[in-house]
Amino acid sequence: MDINQFLADRSRLMRASEIRELLKWVTENVISFGGGMPDPSSFPAKEIIEITRDILTTKAEKALQYGTTGGILELKEELIKFMGKVGIKVDGPENIIITVGSQEALDMIGRLFINPGDCVITESPTYLAALQAFRIYGPRIVGIPMDEEGIRVDVLEDTVRKLINDGGKPKFIYVIPTGQNPTGITMNMERRKELLDIASRYDLLIIEDDPYGYIYFGDGEPPARLKAMDGEGRVIYLSTFSKIAAPGLRLGWVAASKEAIRWFELAKQSIDLHTSTLNQYIAAELLRKGIIEKNIPRIKEIYRTKRDLMLQALSEYMPEGVTWTKPSAGMFIWLTTPEKIDTTAMLEIAIKKYGVAYVPGKSFYPNEDRHNDMRLNFTYPTPEQIFEGIKRLAMAIKEVITQ
Ligand code: PMP
């Protein structure tokens, strides 16, 4: 029997990840910069054991029971304080919904806002799984180029104006302002203000995806969150426990206007009723006891050290003509090779001959045809793997350049 004959049209928009196909050659001897995983030593495992025991001893009847779709009040109240420390003012718990990671929120955004053919705007390149989440709903995705300071707001405004003139006002602008995935770029303050200003002048919605702001490891603090500067309630703010605690908890949250949150709750009801109650209680305790706050400087230190190592290895080994970003946040360095190289085609050689893997840049572009970038993760590999892997990658690049 052929299952394909029964599929909805929508399902044909779900593309199998090309990357997963390519990374199938990764074996034990291959050093992979391909994943997007945190350093496991950053997980507060011992604390989670204790907290879980306490919760199950004192309130198992609540923690193991169904909960409300919006999430448990204890966690929302802790999040209000947590976000308050970075200048995000949230009126009350009705302005928050707890999600199964930010990934669920991205899917809900597609569900709630995108009709087939609607235009949505993203940075270019952008987070691949956001593109995948949105694509299911059939939008036209317009990518806006970036430079080292973030999204090119001049191009953004021209594009918005043109789209509106053509009768296709964009539904939202999706951005990852701090430690962007995949480039590692942090949008500067001026661009942030300009972005909000454009959104206000053209009456647009902004989706601010902020998994990395709390572990910014540059000097000082990161530029203010868009949500902290949002006087008009036009920013829907997403963040997650995946990088400040552990991704296996599958916990994220959305902060937005009460009205927006009510729509998210409606969308979530039919997806999964609510996020794991037990995990929400764990997260509330991690925040209440200050464990997350104590852990953050440690995570920053681990990431800063690994980033420095990768940057050092890159300048030591990479041939002329190769450039890369110098991130102050996030988990990735974005590397650009000379035009001659197609990083998708090179991956097989890199893995099979040199024992190193990365993610080709191509699939991060919503609609540009670029072939000579790659994303390198520096948080998961060990320091030894970072050095050895970059050395191998440089050899692969040199071989392909001279071909
Ligand atoms: N947004 C961005 C930009 C990410 O990098 C990630 C994780 N890699 C997510 C969202 C989703 O994270 P999670 O579902 O674990 O919260």
Side-chain angles (χ1 to χ4, degrees):
M1 198 206 71
D2 177 17
I3 192 73
N4 293 305
Q5 62 181 311
F6 301 111
L7 288 175
D9 295 343
R10 179 173 64 247
S11 306
R12 296 180 208 289
L13 299 170
M14 300 177 189
R15 291 191 207 153
S17 162
E18 207 182 297
I19 295 170
R20 211 156 283 172
E21 265 305 290
L22 296 166
L23 294 178
K24 69 175 184 255
W25 299 307
V26 175
T27 57
E28 251 177 36
N29 303 324
V30 174
I31 296 174
S32 180
F33 299 131
M37 292 192 288
D39 186 319
S41 75
S42 69
F43 303 153
K46 274 202 211 92
E47 291 88 342
I48 291 178
I49 294 174
E50 270 167 41
I51 288 173
T52 310
R53 189 179 300 120
D54 273 2
I55 291 169
L56 292 178
T57 315
T58 60
K59 43 178 170 275
E61 73 290 351
K62 277 188 205 122
L64 298 176
Q65 187 55 278
Y66 281 116
T68 54
T69 305
I72 67 165
L73 188 62
E74 288 89 333
L75 179 54
K76 292 192 200 181
E77 279 173 347
E78 288 301 329
L79 283 172
I80 291 173
K81 287 187 249 167
F82 186 65
M83 287 188 281
K85 288 181 192 152
V86 299
I88 299 176
K89 288 189 198 72
V90 173
D91 292 338
E94 316 79 43
N95 295 82
I96 298 177
I97 180 168
I98 310 298
T99 58
V100 181
S102 289
Q103 195 60 40
E104 183 185 37
L106 291 170
D107 180 74
M108 289 197 280
I109 285 164
R111 223 171 248 248
L112 288 171
F113 300 112
I114 301 174
N115 282 321
D118 276 352
C119 171
V120 307
I121 291 183
T122 71
E123 294 159 312
S124 180
T126 189
Y127 176 45
L128 177 58
L131 289 176
Q132 287 169 326
F134 300 155
R135 274 186 183 134
I136 295 169
Y137 300 96
R140 182 178 149 221
I141 304 180
V142 177
I144 305 294
M146 304 173 70
D147 61 22
E148 300 85 78
E149 305 301 333
I151 191 167
R152 290 268 311 274
V153 280
D154 52 334
V155 182
L156 173 68
E157 179 157 11
D158 282 350
T159 309
V160 167
R161 204 180 298 126
K162 269 192 212 114
L163 288 168
I164 293 177
N165 280 344
D166 296 346
K169 180 172 165 173
K171 277 295 176 73
F172 58 76
I173 306 174
Y174 168 74
V175 286
I176 310 154
T178 306
Q180 203 241 14
N181 184 355
T183 61
I185 290 169
T186 294
M187 196 189 301
N188 73 18
M189 192 59 179
E190 224 167 284
R191 299 268 174 103
R192 289 179 193 229
K193 286 185 184 154
E194 189 64 27
L195 173 58
L196 282 169
D197 186 52
I198 293 170
S200 176
R201 279 188 282 120
Y202 295 92
D203 189 27
L204 304 169
L205 184 64
I206 293 182
I207 313 293
E208 177 179 27
D209 189 1
D210 185 37
Y212 305 114
Y214 299 95
I215 47 165
Y216 180 83
F217 46 78
D219 296 331
E221 293 301 314
R225 309 298 199 282
L226 298 171
K227 186 72 192 153
M229 302 189 278
D230 172 29
E232 300 178 343
R234 52 178 77 253
V235 177
I236 294 184
Y237 176 83
L238 273 54
S239 194
T240 175
F241 285 88
S242 292
K243 316 291 150 63
I244 54 173
L249 291 170
R250 305 308 304 128
L251 282 176
W253 72 93
V254 178
S257 67
K258 283 182 198 155
E259 218 177 350
I261 294 298
R262 267 200 299 275
W263 281 108
F264 276 91
E265 286 181 7
L266 280 177
K268 187 171 167 72
Q269 261 165 24
S270 62
I271 300 175
D272 53 14
L273 299 181
H274 64 81
T275 304
S276 155
T277 324
L278 176 59
N279 289 2
Q280 291 186 68
Y281 276 107
I282 294 172
E285 282 302 282
L286 286 171
L287 283 170
R288 194 184 65 80
K289 293 184 152 180
I291 292 161
I292 287 187
E293 217 160 339
K294 222 174 63 206
N295 207 22
I296 281 176
R298 204 170 66 81
I299 302 175
K300 288 182 180 180
E301 194 48 44
I302 298 173
Y303 288 9
R304 191 186 297 120
T305 307
K306 287 190 163 181
R307 176 218 44 191
D308 286 346
L309 264 177
M310 189 172 272
L311 289 177
Q312 194 190 332
L314 285 165
S315 33
E316 219 159 284
Y317 297 117
M318 282 299 153
E320 212 162 304
V322 177
T323 57
W324 52 88
T325 55
K326 295 164 187 71
S328 303
M331 311 200 301
F332 308 103
I333 286 176
W334 186 245
L335 181 137
T336 306
T337 66
E339 285 272 340
K340 189 180 169 208
I341 293 182
D342 180 328
T343 51
T344 308
M346 190 180 87
L347 187 61
E348 188 170 353
I349 303 172
I351 296 177
K352 289 188 178 162
K353 185 162 171 195
Y354 292 98
V356 64
Y358 56 84
V359 186
K362 201 171 128 215
S363 18
F364 297 95
Y365 289 99
N367 42 21
E368 260 178 279
D369 199 13
R370 295 211 24 168
H371 61 266
N372 58 323
D373 318 279
M374 64 176 75
R375 192 190 75 175
L376 301 172
N377 169 261
F378 57 82
T379 56
Y380 187 72
T382 64
E384 296 71 31
Q385 287 172 330
I386 290 177
F387 242 86
E388 177 60 26
I390 294 295
K391 193 168 145 188
R392 294 182 189 181
L393 183 60
M395 288 195 282
I397 291 177
K398 282 178 197 158
E399 173 178 330
V400 179
I401 286 181
T402 49
Q403 258 170 14

